[in-house]
Amino acid sequence: MKTKSLRSLFLLPFVFSAALLAGCAASSSSAPPAGQASAEVRQVLAPSGKLRVAVYVGSPTSIIPGATPADTRGVGYELGRELARRLGVPFEAVVFPKNAESLASIKEGRSDITFTNATAERARDMDFSQPFLDVERGFLVGPKSPVQRQEELDRPGSRIGASIGSTTEATLNRQFKNMKIVLTPTLKAATDMLAAGQLDAFATNKAILYEMSDALPGSRVLPGEWGFEHFGAGIPKGRDAGRAYVRQFIADVKADGAVARAAQRAGVRGVVVPK
């Protein structure tokens, strides 16, 4: 599936009004004081002349589209917009239906930055900042599920959904030996499969699980966690001259509370902002 910027999101199953498009442009038009970023840093981090921020729909850690700028939320969306402001370049949210596609866009240099779970595997394809958000991993069960504890899911024949290309897919069976992993193309598809009883549970970070649960009445996020995802800012390989600036940016937005405020506005649950 081709990528879509906020200027063409009408092709996705989300409708963005003209006000949102205008708001995106306005959010980048207020440049920071001169001297915050050198010309070299701006060129390295935004080689096209604008900062292309890869985000994917359905996760409050990335982007939850809204009909207006005030309604659009997401930690990655807000941090990307703020980084563009500090660099003094236009902001463009490049929106994907799933995270695997946003990661591929960073690897291929079609996007300039993303905010995602920083794993050793992903670090082969991009350079990460230090973590700015830690999110619990968990399970979501459907409305008719009798399961009360995550340990009950670790049995032969148990069908556990995981997004294609996610870190969940790669790590779940290291801890749970008996469940069957069922790969799902999108979060919407996973929610529909839970509703239809085609999955016994869906596994990912709790920020996503709570968002899915809100859309599926009667579903439940099980208590406990089976690990954490550590979110960092990822940029394409070869942009070494911008790495220090990105690290300083992450340190600043953690220290001044911008990460916590973005997470609160997005309704992110199951998270910790690391010190």
Side-chain angles (χ1 to χ4, degrees), residues 76-156:
Y77 174 80
E78 289 200 28
L79 292 185
R81 184 175 58 189
E82 175 61 14
L83 178 58
R85 187 191 72 81
R86 296 190 186 196
L87 287 171
V89 298
F91 163 73
E92 180 183 14
V94 187
V95 184
F96 298 86
K98 51 190 175 183
N99 195 27
E101 294 178 353
S102 71
L103 298 175
S105 77
I106 296 292
K107 179 180 178 180
E108 297 163 8
R110 293 181 285 112
S111 298
D112 302 312
I113 194 165
T114 192
F115 300 87
T116 190
N117 184 21
T119 67
E121 180 180 4
R122 291 176 179 176
R124 292 197 289 265
D125 297 326
M126 65 190 77
D127 289 323
F128 279 106
S129 71
Q130 71 274 37
F132 64 86
L133 203 66
D134 294 338
V135 188
E136 293 179 340
R137 289 172 171 155
F139 295 97
L140 177 69
V141 296
K144 298 181 180 180
S145 174
V147 173
Q148 299 297 318
R149 298 180 300 111
Q150 61 183 18
E151 291 78 11
E152 297 174 44
L153 295 170
D154 193 22
R155 54 181 174 78

Side-chain angles (χ1 to χ4, degrees), residues 43-62:
Q43 177 60 33
V44 167
L45 293 180
S48 68
K50 57 188 175 184
L51 187 69
R52 301 166 299 176
V53 181
V55 291
Y56 68 102
V57 294
S59 172
T61 60
S62 191

Side-chain angles (χ1 to χ4, degrees), residues 128-262:
F128 279 106
S129 71
Q130 71 274 37
F132 64 86
L133 203 66
D134 294 338
V135 188
E136 293 179 340
R137 289 172 171 155
F139 295 97
L140 177 69
V141 296
K144 298 181 180 180
S145 174
V147 173
Q148 299 297 318
R149 298 180 300 111
Q150 61 183 18
E151 291 78 11
E152 297 174 44
L153 295 170
D154 193 22
R155 54 181 174 78
S158 185
R159 302 160 302 174
I160 310 300
S163 294
I164 294 173
S166 66
T167 54
T168 299
E169 175 191 351
T171 60
L172 192 61
N173 274 339
R174 295 176 189 171
Q175 184 164 338
F176 300 95
K177 305 298 184 182
N178 299 306
M179 56 182 55
K180 177 183 178 181
I181 307 301
V182 179
L183 299 181
T184 61
T186 64
L187 297 175
K188 176 62 166 57
T191 304
D192 292 343
M193 292 172 74
L194 278 172
Q198 297 171 337
L199 293 174
D200 295 301
F202 184 77
T204 187
N205 70 66
K206 286 191 177 181
I208 294 176
L209 294 182
Y210 281 115
E211 197 73 24
M212 293 172 66
S213 182
D214 290 344
L216 183 57
S219 62
R220 292 172 291 112
V221 177
L222 296 180
E225 45 81 13
W226 57 275
F228 286 84
E229 293 186 358
H230 308 287
F231 281 66
I235 62 174
K237 291 286 188 181
R239 301 189 184 184
D240 296 352
R243 291 173 63 183
Y245 188 90
V246 171
R247 288 187 63 86
Q248 186 58 54
F249 168 75
I250 292 299
D252 290 346
V253 292
K254 285 169 58 179
D256 68 16
V259 172
R261 290 192 297 272

